[in-house]
Amino acid sequence: GQQLNQSPQSMFIQEGEDVSMNCTSSSIFNTWLWYKQDPGEGPVLLIALYKAGELTSNGRLTAQFGITRKDSFLNISASIPSDVGIYFCAGRVGETSGSRLTFGEGTQLTVNP
Amino acid sequence: NAGVTQTPKFQVLKTGQSMTLQCAQDMNHEYMSWYRQDPGMGLRLIHYSVGAGITDQGEVPNGYNVSRSTTEDFPLRLLSAAPSQTSVYFCASKRQGSRTEAFFGQGTRLTVV
């Protein structure tokens, strides 16, 4: 099946720094999603990307759908302590609502005040 | 506005015991799914349903059963729990149609001893 390689696995940064993480796949995806998971909670959708080359922002977060359809990245600018959590990328091949999501392994982000 | 509700939040089982993890959503979403989350492995799809009376297997279905008798509920049954099923389980739901993404519950942390 499809696999997503997410990197880095973990990041330790100072408050105010910018963060970048990415996902790559050997398969083509038609949708890329980025989720954040706080401790003890379920994943929450941050950004959804539906078109190759698409660049979308949500506040301090910016994500891009790679031109090859095999990668995506997420940037967080001017990090703050509440950015701490696990960030997951997810990809979907099909266009129908029944098609499955494949998740990356996650990036654990720690922000030091 | 409950969204996706999972019960219980925590559970300890002995090997061989059976139990049902409950999932309910009040958004009238057609699509529901179950994932398990293990350290360093992201979320993996166990079973999913595109509507009442319809279920299908995901990536890791062995040892789990599901049914979908109503739109609102999608219980996950462990027939004979094994230590390998120790994990955090997430239920998710989404509306049919393109460009609509999943809402996740808060998770059930299951330990099998």
Side-chain angles (χ1 to χ4, degrees):
Chain A
Q2 296 108 7
Q3 285 189 328
L4 290 183
N5 297 310
Q6 187 172 346
S7 65
Q9 285 188 335
S10 60
M11 303 182 73
F12 297 84
I13 62 170
Q14 293 296 125
E15 182 176 359
E17 289 183 355
D18 297 342
V19 172
S20 184
M21 59 192 78
N22 69 85
C23 269
T24 60
S25 170
S26 57
S27 305
I28 288 175
F29 287 98
N30 289 314
T31 299
W32 282 95
L33 307 172
W34 285 92
Y35 286 89
K36 183 191 178 200
Q37 184 179 25
D38 292 324
E41 301 291 331
V44 174
L45 182 67
L46 297 173
I47 293 179
L49 302 160
Y50 299 106
K51 188 176 176 181
E54 182 179 357
L55 185 71
T56 297
S57 293
N58 178 6
R60 294 177 295 105
L61 278 62
T62 301
Q64 185 158 27
F65 191 143
I67 288 290
T68 66
R69 296 179 179 267
K70 293 183 178 182
D71 60 352
S72 178
F73 72 76
L74 175 71
N75 285 343
I76 305 173
S77 62
S79 59
I80 58 179
S82 61
D83 290 334
V84 166
I86 303 176
Y87 292 79
F88 291 99
C89 63
R92 183 167 62 230
V93 173
E95 296 294 342
T96 65
S97 59
S99 53
R100 308 169 184 184
L101 284 177
T102 300
F103 280 83
E105 303 97 333
T107 295
Q108 173 74 61
L109 178 64
T110 302
V111 180
N112 296 315
Chain B
N1 246 8
V4 179
T5 302
Q6 289 184 237
T7 55
K9 198 164 176 65
F10 300 95
Q11 183 70 51
V12 179
L13 287 179
K14 293 183 179 178
T15 298
Q17 285 185 318
S18 63
M19 81 157 293
T20 300
L21 280 62
Q22 302 291 344
C23 176
Q25 52 93 7
D26 61 358
M27 298 172 282
N28 204 30
H29 286 173
E30 298 90 346
Y31 184 82
M32 296 186 73
S33 53
W34 277 101
Y35 292 85
R36 61 177 287 173
Q37 182 178 29
D38 301 295
M41 298 188 73
L43 282 80
R44 293 182 292 168
L45 182 65
I46 304 171
H47 285 285
Y48 67 97
S49 167
V50 298
I54 305 169
T55 64
D56 206 346
Q57 295 182 348
E59 183 184 352
V60 287
N62 292 341
Y64 307 95
N65 276 359
V66 291
S67 59
R68 185 93 181 270
S69 55
T70 67
T71 299
E72 294 78 20
D73 300 298
F74 190 42
L76 178 73
R77 279 183 285 278
L78 282 71
L79 303 176
S80 178
S84 61
Q85 294 178 304
T86 294
S87 187
V88 182
Y89 292 84
F90 288 100
C91 178
S93 75
K94 74 185 290 287
R95 189 167 47 84
Q96 291 280 61
S98 62
R99 303 199 174 200
T100 62
E101 305 304 336
F103 290 85
F104 282 83
Q106 290 192 308
T108 295
R109 184 174 292 276
L110 176 68
T111 302
V112 183
V113 297

